[in-house]
Amino acid sequence: MFWDTPKFTSAVPSQLMPEIGSRYAVIDARVCTGIGVIDPGWMLVEDGRIAGVGDAERPAPSDCPVIDGTGMTVLPGLIDCHLHLSWNGVFEPYPFTFGESLGERLQRNAWITLASGVTTAREMPGFGAAELKRKIASGAAAGPRLLISGPAVTVKRGYFAYPGWGTAVKHARQVRSIIRKRKQQGCDFIKTVVPFSDALRRERNISGEILRAIADEARSQGLKVSAHSMWKDGLGTGITCGVDSLEHAPSYVGGIIEERILAEAACREIRFVPTADLLRRNYQMFHDREELLREADYQRNMPAKSLEKMTAGTEAMEKKQHRRPEVQRAFDQLFSCYLHEYQRSFNNAVDAGIQIAAGTDSGANYTPHGIIARELERYVRLGMSPHEAMRTVTVNAAGLLGLDEEIGSLEVGKRADILMVRGGML
Ligand SMILES: [Zn+2]
């Protein structure tokens, strides 16, 4: 089975590294630095850091082992700003419903993510993340460097206010101790919500007062705030309350985002993490299921049992739509956005100067792991150039995570967190 024998080739850096030592160069490659492209170019690595990057005008180092990069592109390790490693792409809320051990599941999904070129990821939220983060950091498990949120901070009867998923508060004064505890527990950022976070608009909304208290306290603790959004109506509150990123924005529901909202987000340097391919998957799952399921990501990266559950769940949801008009309405609005409004909101956001940071939402419904390339493909289909799309998954994402001094671009002094792929796309 794929799960037991992941298909790495001999060109995987971790397998090459022990043979070439701590000082080596990659030569004759297309070097995509995250800032620009050098073709042909070279890169020198010393003790895990980038010690030099150059083009054909400057001779590549010849006094160390070299990796011939002919026909290959060197990139910064990719960053997925939004995933859930404890879920498989089908709604299974708690580990006892998984049908496999949590540890097994986490390690498999982390491995698939790493094999897709993602070397850093934000887990937001999920079960068992703290232990997985420690294991990966110590080398006991293979996976991307993890930044974790712990359970989301939300309001009673609000989105994420389910045991284990979130901590619900009633008043702004309760926020401080929760965020301090998250910091002590080793969380890297805070996950929360903006108003109108559920598709049916039935769950209780977070107030501006509580959201501002979350953003203020997180900032004082040196933590960034990532907020789930769903409807256009909630974005303004999130922006003025000072969150750092709006997840699933441009929003999936509610029409084209007003220019003043986009201008405000750009002015405050709030990043959008679109998880745009998820919207496409939602549409196709209900309109073109057979075609969608033929995609290799489903066949290769989702266990057969999860695939069956996901398909059965969608069929049940279709029946529910016919019985319950509010469910039908929510889906109609979601799909209308995919077909008519999303592209305009996306392009308007980019034109307004909002930085897009790539995120897949892998693990959420209909979304397998290991699909970062699909997400980037979606950005290009929505109108970005391939180079702009690469920035979303490297420099922009590193900036959102506060790791831009270390990773996200191939520059002298940064970590040699690098990826080599065959061919060249830019
Ligand atoms: Zn998510």
Side-chain angles (χ1 to χ4, degrees), residues 82-84 124-125 160 191 228 247-248 275 278 361-362 364:
H82 189 130
L83 48 69
H84 305 272
M124 53 156 71
F160 278 133
K191 175 83 186 276
H228 168 95
E247 311 299 310
H248 321 297
T275 62
L278 178 60
D361 211 0
S362 283

Side-chain angles (χ1 to χ4, degrees), residues 51-312:
V53 182
D55 58 19
E57 301 283 299
R58 291 174 59 203
S62 54
D63 60 342
C64 60
V66 294
I67 298 170
D68 181 3
T70 305
M72 300 190 84
T73 300
V74 183
L75 307 155
L78 308 182
I79 301 167
D80 187 338
C81 293
H82 189 130
L83 48 69
H84 305 272
L85 290 168
S86 58
W87 294 306
N88 274 353
V90 56
F91 188 69
E92 296 165 313
Y94 293 102
F96 66 83
T97 61
F98 289 176
E100 64 179 333
S101 88
L102 175 61
E104 226 173 274
R105 170 175 286 215
L106 288 172
Q107 292 204 21
R108 181 186 65 238
N109 291 340
W111 177 258
I112 291 170
T113 306
L114 182 66
S116 72
V118 171
T119 57
T120 306
R122 283 201 310 185
E123 162 76 12
M124 53 156 71
F127 294 96
E131 200 195 333
L132 180 66
K133 178 186 165 181
R134 272 193 298 277
K135 275 188 174 171
I136 292 172
S138 70
R145 170 189 301 114
L146 282 188
L147 280 79
I148 62 171
S149 66
V153 184
T154 183
V155 288
K156 304 242 181 235
R157 300 213 308 275
Y159 196 76
F160 278 133
Y162 334 120
W165 289 51
T167 306
V169 300
K170 254 183 167 173
H171 307 287
R173 63 177 178 273
Q174 295 171 286
V175 163
R176 191 171 215 210
S177 63
I178 293 167
I179 291 187
R180 290 185 174 206
K181 198 166 158 204
R182 291 278 187 284
K183 173 90 177 179
Q184 284 161 8
Q185 289 166 335
C187 293
D188 302 283
F189 66 100
I190 299 297
K191 175 83 186 276
T192 186
V193 297
V194 298
F196 304 110
S197 278
D198 69 307
L200 299 179
R201 298 178 80 119
R202 278 191 313 197
E203 289 174 326
R204 180 174 283 178
N205 281 330
I206 194 165
S207 69
E209 191 197 356
I210 290 176
L211 194 50
R212 187 167 290 114
I214 291 170
D216 290 348
E217 185 57 33
R219 190 158 297 114
S220 79
Q221 295 295 317
L223 300 173
K224 300 222 180 193
V225 176
S226 136
H228 168 95
S229 65
M230 176 66 79
W231 285 77
K232 187 190 69 162
D233 304 17
L235 297 182
T237 308
I239 291 164
T240 52
C241 289
V243 305
D244 295 283
S245 66
L246 286 162
E247 311 299 310
H248 321 297
S251 38
Y252 289 173
V253 203
I256 295 167
I257 306 172
E258 292 87 350
E259 269 176 38
R260 63 176 176 81
I261 299 270
L262 296 175
E264 187 72 31
C267 176
R268 292 170 181 256
E269 297 184 1
I270 294 167
R271 264 88 162 187
F272 281 5
V273 181
T275 62
D277 203 50
L278 178 60
L279 186 54
R280 193 259 316 180
R281 286 164 195 279
N282 263 280
Y283 181 83
Q284 273 195 267
M285 199 63 198
F286 289 88
H287 291 87
D288 199 0
R289 188 173 307 143
E290 281 180 20
E291 173 75 22
L292 182 72
L293 296 182
R294 270 200 289 273
E295 286 179 6
D297 313 313
Y298 288 96
Q299 301 304 325
R300 217 174 42 200
N301 296 354
M302 260 178 108
K305 267 190 189 163
S306 301
L307 200 54
E308 273 169 36
K309 264 193 195 176
M310 182 188 71
T311 312

Side-chain angles (χ1 to χ4, degrees), residues 34 78-81 271-274 346 350 354-359 372 375-377 379-380 384-401 408:
L78 308 182
I79 301 167
D80 187 338
C81 293
R271 264 88 162 187
F272 281 5
V273 181
F346 187 92
V350 173
I354 292 171
Q355 273 198 16
I356 305 289
I372 193 74
E375 182 69 17
L376 301 183
E377 179 191 339
Y379 300 162
V380 172
M384 272 188 174
S385 71
H387 188 67
E388 283 173 318
M390 282 311 302
R391 288 183 68 90
T392 70
V393 77
T394 54
V395 277
N396 294 4
L400 172 58
L401 272 47

